[in-house]
Amino acid sequence: MIPALLLIFVGYLYIEKLNALEQKMKTSLAPFAGKKIITFHEAFPYFAKEFGFEISAVIEQEPGTVPSAKELAKIIESIKSVTNRGEEVALFAEPQYSSSVAKIISNETGLSVYELDPCVNGQLEKNAYIEGMEKNLSVLMNAFSEEKK
């Protein structure tokens, strides 16, 4: 009986850590609500909705499927259209995939490439997800702060 109660308590503590992290992220990212982001693939719709970002383009519709030249040109043109209107947009690759297409987009648009981790794999450590999301928060803060320079 005690081990089951201990597991429940540990689970409760972890949920509390997740709730605190979510609140920290919401507070920290609130000033950037409405910002446009370009993601590597369709891993971030819920994340974007939760934190008020607008996904303006997705580099790979399916992971591992490189966009065609026509699709790439369309992404680049949409970015230029947004930036020509004076709107800011941040470009993100993912650590699990090659960033070569993101670098092409960067070269054509002048955007910096940042790395946003969907935290779907990595180290099997008890705080790996929390640490990954903390790193994502830092990357997002850096990306949006550098846009203003």
Side-chain angles (χ1 to χ4, degrees), residues 11-119:
Y12 173 79
L13 291 177
Y14 191 75
I15 289 170
E16 288 300 308
K17 284 183 181 181
L18 291 174
N19 288 334
L21 175 61
E22 178 186 22
Q23 189 56 49
K24 176 182 177 180
M25 291 180 74
K26 283 184 174 182
T27 301
S28 299
L29 297 173
F32 308 110
K35 293 282 188 184
K36 292 179 177 12
I37 61 174
I38 299 155
T39 61
F40 192 75
H41 73 277
E42 290 283 348
F44 292 98
Y46 294 111
F47 183 90
K49 183 177 180 182
E50 183 73 20
F51 297 106
F53 303 126
E54 179 185 330
I55 297 176
S56 63
V58 176
I59 296 172
E60 290 187 1
Q61 294 298 318
E62 295 291 328
T65 305
V66 178
S68 68
K70 184 177 179 179
E71 291 168 330
L72 187 56
K74 184 177 178 181
I75 292 169
I76 291 167
E77 286 308 311
S78 71
I79 293 168
K80 287 181 178 179
S81 174
V82 168
T83 56
N84 286 341
R85 290 192 308 262
E87 296 180 62
E88 297 172 348
V89 62
L91 172 61
F92 297 98
E94 294 179 23
Q96 297 86 354
Y97 299 99
S98 168
S99 61
S100 60
V101 176
K103 288 178 184 174
I104 292 169
I105 293 170
S106 173
N107 290 338
E108 294 294 320
T109 63
L111 296 178
S112 296
V113 179
Y114 299 94
E115 199 169 78
L116 202 56
D117 192 344
C119 298

